[in-house]
Amino acid sequence: MHRFSRRDLLKASLATAAAVHAQPIRAAAPEPTAITPALIEAARKEGKVAYYTSVDLPLAERIAKSFEAKFPGIVVRTERTGAERVFQRIGQEYGSRIYAVDVVNSSDAAHFIAWKRDGLLAPVVPEDVARHYPADHRDPDGMFASFRVTLSAVGYNTNLVKAEEAPKSFADLLDPKWLGKIVKAHPAYSGTIMTATFQIVRELGWPYIEKLAKQKVMQVQSATDPPKKLALGERAIMADGGEYNLFQIKESGGPVELVYPTEGIPTVVGPNAVFKNAPNPNAARLFQCYCFSPECQQLIVDHGGLRSMHAQVKEKPGRKPFKEVKAMKEDAVGVDKMSEEIKARYSKLFGV
């Protein structure tokens, strides 16, 4: 089966993409959308909302059930897969003029740059985003906002590695003692790993990735996979993967520990957006507003281990506060430009 690239899926816009990036067209963001009785009634008449997401399935289902409990009569159809697969699926559907998705969430913020550039998104600014989100976490034209932020962590199995022997940096992963003991996810599948790989290449260079590839790394797909392999003891070290998954495993008694590398840790923003051709536009707007409410944002922090940019949401005790983390800078535009190069070079280096 042909694997669609961003160029395949967005070829109609390639001729103008450079000009759009150089001189982006700015429109005034719409007035904030509040959850009103009228919006709820209109959404109930539609009766459903389709949510495509790359967030971990148990959390995606919890979000859906929470929404359904708050707004009876509206069913959430959750479609969960890796961020790159979400992107490919929507591209394939839209290429066939199938408009099935209402609200999308992806751990690759570059997807939203591409969708916005192609004119596929609807401007919707939830009231909570307008009031409680910093400017750098909401699109100036109101097309998307940061539903979640996470980190691509390094970690180790505490049954297999002593704390004093655990890696403290990305450079430490190149130590010969970790040969055949590392697990890592793939940027062609996971948006989290695409973003993390971009930031690591930017900060440490391709020579670092080349050396890591020689460590006989176990290659998996999703950013949720390395933490699972780590917890099962299939590998002693994970080179990347969801910080939130390690939070969940550790807080349930699993033998894992997080490492925040001295060089800094990749920061991964996962926005939400409503599609312009959403089949259930009112339910889509209602769901989008709910996703950014304090209720839902606290849920993704407490139960999902994610980070929220909502000013009223509190971090869970026992976790390293985000303000204390040395975080690498997010650059969605950079990822959008380099994604195909990253996929090709990475696959060649790791042989997958």
Side-chain angles (χ1 to χ4, degrees):
M1 182 180 293
H2 178 62
R3 294 181 65 182
F4 288 80
S5 70
R6 292 173 200 263
R7 290 187 177 87
D8 293 325
L9 302 176
L10 298 170
K11 59 184 178 182
S13 69
L14 283 178
T16 59
V20 171
H21 272 303
Q23 295 181 326
I25 298 172
R26 293 298 181 204
E31 289 296 312
T33 299
I35 297 178
T36 63
L39 179 59
I40 295 170
E41 181 59 29
R44 283 202 174 111
K45 288 180 180 178
E46 294 168 350
K48 59 185 179 295
V49 62
Y51 180 44
Y52 289 17
T53 180
S54 63
V55 79
D56 208 13
L57 182 59
L59 179 59
E61 292 177 337
R62 186 182 283 268
I63 293 167
K65 290 177 181 177
S66 177
F67 175 83
E68 291 170 349
K70 191 173 184 68
F71 303 104
I74 309 171
V75 176
V76 181
R77 179 169 66 87
T78 303
E79 299 286 344
R80 191 277 162 192
T81 189
E84 298 302 311
R85 298 293 188 268
V86 170
F87 186 80
Q88 290 172 8
R89 175 173 177 172
I90 291 174
Q92 289 165 347
E93 288 180 351
Y94 267 64
S96 301
R97 297 186 179 181
I98 296 172
Y99 307 123
V101 59
D102 288 307
V103 179
V104 68
N105 167 259
S106 172
S107 55
D108 188 341
H111 293 163
F112 296 82
I113 302 294
W115 286 322
K116 177 182 176 180
R117 183 176 65 221
D118 239 28
L120 302 183
L121 303 180
V124 179
V125 180
E127 193 171 53
D128 275 284
V129 169
R131 290 184 176 182
H132 303 296
Y133 276 68
D136 59 345
H137 282 278
R138 46 193 170 98
D139 176 59
D141 300 323
M143 298 296 183
F144 52 86
S146 301
F147 169 67
R148 55 179 169 128
V149 175
T150 189
L151 303 170
S152 178
V154 172
Y156 63 95
N157 183 299
T158 56
N159 290 335
L160 302 176
V161 180
K162 296 178 181 179
E164 61 270 21
E165 297 175 354
K168 303 294 189 296
S169 66
F170 284 112
D172 288 347
L173 299 181
L174 305 181
D175 191 310
K177 71 180 180 181
W178 303 127
L179 184 71
K181 297 180 179 180
I182 300 173
V183 61
K184 190 180 184 309
H186 202 296
Y189 180 89
S190 167
T192 294
I193 305 306
M194 170 61 74
T195 298
T197 303
F198 168 81
Q199 292 177 22
I200 289 172
V201 167
R202 182 189 64 201
E203 301 297 327
L204 306 180
W206 276 109
Y208 171 77
I209 302 294
E210 293 168 2
K211 293 173 184 176
L212 183 64
K214 296 177 181 178
Q215 286 287 70
K216 296 185 178 179
V217 175
M218 173 191 279
Q219 186 68 64
V220 292
Q221 288 189 320
S222 173
T224 66
D225 292 334
K228 295 171 185 176
K229 298 294 185 183
L230 198 68
L232 291 171
E234 293 185 29
R235 285 295 185 273
I237 302 292
M238 74 176 215
D240 57 24
E243 176 199 42
Y244 69 98
N245 301 108
L246 286 184
F247 279 150
Q248 293 170 335
I249 294 168
K250 181 179 177 181
E251 290 167 8
S252 64
V256 300
E257 188 56 77
L258 290 99
V259 173
Y260 295 89
T262 56
E263 300 97 336
I265 190 166
T267 305
V268 183
V269 174
N272 259 34
V274 173
F275 270 79
K276 185 166 62 177
N277 289 331
N280 307 290
N282 294 298
R285 289 167 60 220
L286 180 62
F287 187 77
Q288 178 79 335
C289 288
Y290 175 73
C291 282
F292 290 94
S293 68
E295 179 181 348
C296 186
Q297 287 292 299
Q298 197 65 60
L299 183 155
I300 70 169
V301 169
D302 292 345
H303 298 284
L306 295 165
R307 310 283 188 164
S308 172
M309 294 298 105
H310 196 302
Q312 295 181 336
V313 172
K314 298 179 180 179
E315 296 199 69
K316 191 171 182 178
R319 297 174 183 169
K320 189 180 184 73
F322 188 67
K323 63 182 180 181
E324 296 179 9
V325 174
K326 181 181 178 182
M328 292 182 181
K329 185 180 179 181
E330 169 85 1
D331 179 7
V333 173
V335 175
D336 181 53
K337 291 179 179 179
M338 280 191 63
S339 63
E340 295 305 314
E341 176 189 346
I342 288 171
K343 289 178 185 178
R345 293 187 67 170
Y346 185 96
S347 295
K348 183 177 180 180
L349 288 172
F350 284 85
V352 289

